Amino acid sequence: MSYQTIVHVKDPSAARILVVALRAHGFHPLEQGEGGFPGVPNLFGQEGVPVQVPEDEVRDATLLAEDLLRDMAAS
């Protein structure tokens, strides 16, 4: 299965919340530890933490992620 990045989130805590929310809505995002080096935290660039979903979920997951991030920023 091929994954694609839908957003980059500056705050790692917000990225974790976003991944949980996407899962709760039926999407299948990669956990932050998946696909990286075990035990090596925070190897993310200036863009922030990438949130990735399977290619067939990109369109709908992107819409939801953007709405959730807007809601998080507003509060």
Side-chain angles (χ1 to χ4, degrees):
M1 183 180 314
S2 182
Y3 284 79
Q4 186 173 342
T5 301
I6 57 171
V7 293
H8 284 89
V9 183
K10 296 277 186 193
D11 179 4
S13 296
R16 284 191 296 275
I17 292 168
L18 183 58
V19 166
V20 169
L22 287 168
R23 281 198 185 280
H25 282 87
F27 295 101
H28 303 91
L30 281 178
E31 292 292 331
Q32 290 179 20
E34 294 181 61
F37 298 109
V40 181
N42 209 8
L43 285 179
F44 307 112
Q46 291 179 333
E47 297 108 19
V49 178
V51 176
Q52 300 176 331
V53 297
E55 284 183 340
D56 60 337
E57 298 178 359
V58 168
R59 192 182 93 232
D60 294 334
T62 300
L63 293 171
L64 178 59
E66 289 172 350
D67 283 346
L68 291 170
L69 288 171
R70 256 192 309 275
D71 287 348
M72 283 190 253
S75 59

